[in-house]
Amino acid sequence: MSEVTAGSLTLYYNGVKAGHFTREKWKGKLKKAEWRCHGVVKNQMTVKPTTYSSRISTDIPLFESPGASFDQYLEDKPRVFKAIFPDKRRSHQLNEEEWRIQMLPINFLFLTVWPTVDMRLRCKSGGRDYPPQVPSDITKVLQLDIIKWELRGLDNVLEPAHFALGVKGALYPDRRGARSRLKGRLEMNISFVLPPVLALIPEDVRRSVAESVLTRLVENMKDKVNGNLLADYGEFKRKRPKNLQV
């Protein structure tokens, strides 16, 4: 997610390939088409927002060392954040448990936006306020939430009347079986009311593109957890003072 980008997705609309037009040409065409949907969507705020979501889970072996448990590793939130979001140029710490991240551009239909999000990492233990899917006997849970966001790159014509971005995740060691496992879950959703100039795009096209974008984002995060995070935990174990590994 430190290098999150949805990639360019091609849209076929009314028999015309969107990739054949520049962003400026498309905006010009949409402005001309605005009158056609103006009567359909007179008041955007009265239209029910459309929501798209994607979720993914991880369940992989976890090899812990005495005196260097994964619980102890999770307590170092700045280190965990750096492992998942290694690009220092795109993030900075706001306080003990919150970071601001400038994500790479996301291409949605023929639009490009630059999201900036505030993310919170919080450790929980003892079964208190655990996410619903986490068993209460798990010793430590790292919870991830986006608490604030901002979209850049849209002008007044293309800006949605309503937009909400939600990201919730949980990561924890599960030692209840014969072998320890690292388990986690990440869910991302977007909810918005399309501006009139985009309301003409068929719903099946919008849904297909939106779900593809979200799936890429959560899969990117999963790769960071399965790769970077476990590699950094291995480094954490190696550098742990020997007198603590008893």
Side-chain angles (χ1 to χ4, degrees):
M1 192 169 179
S2 63
E3 297 180 354
V4 169
T5 177
S8 297
L9 297 172
T10 301
L11 167 68
Y12 285 85
Y13 180 54
N14 287 342
V16 181
K17 188 176 180 183
H20 290 170
F21 295 96
T22 65
R23 171 183 170 87
E24 290 72 20
K25 288 183 178 180
W26 262 109
K27 287 166 63 177
K29 288 179 173 292
L30 288 174
K31 288 179 181 179
K32 292 179 181 179
E34 185 174 6
W35 67 270
R36 286 185 289 171
C37 54
H38 184 68
V40 179
V41 188
K42 291 184 178 180
N43 186 349
Q44 299 177 63
M45 296 308 294
T46 64
V47 179
K48 184 179 179 180
T50 302
T51 301
Y52 307 102
S53 62
S54 181
R55 60 182 60 89
I56 201 166
S57 60
T58 188
D59 184 350
I60 54 180
L62 177 63
F63 302 98
E64 298 182 273
S65 298
S69 70
F70 199 74
D71 290 20
Q72 294 169 316
Y73 174 73
L74 289 181
E75 285 290 350
D76 190 347
K77 292 186 288 293
R79 178 168 189 157
V80 172
F81 178 86
K82 182 180 178 181
I84 302 177
F85 305 96
D87 192 343
K88 295 180 179 180
R89 299 169 300 174
R90 297 185 179 273
S91 65
H92 68 273
Q93 190 166 359
L94 300 176
N95 53 49
E96 184 180 353
E97 57 185 23
E98 295 177 3
W99 286 261
R100 179 160 295 161
I101 308 168
Q102 294 180 340
M103 298 169 63
L104 290 180
I106 295 177
N107 299 310
F108 178 72
L109 299 176
F110 46 84
L111 306 178
T112 300
V113 296
W114 287 262
T116 297
V117 301
D118 289 359
M119 182 170 293
R120 180 171 62 201
L121 299 183
R122 179 173 290 175
C123 281
K124 297 182 177 181
S125 59
R128 294 185 295 274
D129 299 323
Y130 279 9
Q133 73 276 10
V134 180
S136 59
D137 57 346
I138 295 298
T139 57
K140 183 79 67 177
V141 178
L142 180 71
Q143 190 168 345
L144 177 153
D145 296 282
I146 283 183
I147 57 176
K148 185 179 178 182
W149 62 88
E150 179 184 359
L151 293 182
R152 298 177 181 177
L154 297 179
D155 59 24
N156 293 334
V157 174
L158 300 177
E159 187 174 359
H162 162 83
F163 180 88
L165 170 66
V167 176
K168 290 184 176 296
L171 188 70
Y172 58 93
D174 189 344
R175 307 180 184 92
R176 296 174 301 167
R179 295 180 180 275
S180 297
R181 301 191 68 81
L182 176 62
K183 294 186 177 181
R185 179 184 175 92
L186 180 70
E187 181 174 353
M188 179 178 293
N189 61 74
I190 56 174
S191 175
F192 56 84
V193 173
L194 284 174
V197 292
L198 296 182
L200 296 176
I201 298 175
E203 165 59 21
D204 58 338
V205 175
R206 299 199 305 262
R207 180 168 297 277
S208 175
V209 175
E211 291 179 350
S212 177
V213 169
L214 292 178
T215 298
R216 266 194 165 180
L217 294 177
V218 295
E219 287 181 348
N220 186 281
M221 174 68 80
K222 181 178 179 178
D223 290 342
K224 292 292 187 296
V225 171
N226 291 357
N228 297 12
L229 193 67
L230 285 182
D232 189 61
Y233 173 57
E235 188 70 14
F236 172 81
K237 291 187 294 183
R238 286 190 292 271
K239 292 186 176 181
R240 192 74 173 171
K242 299 297 183 181
N243 61 331
L244 296 180
Q245 300 190 31
V246 295

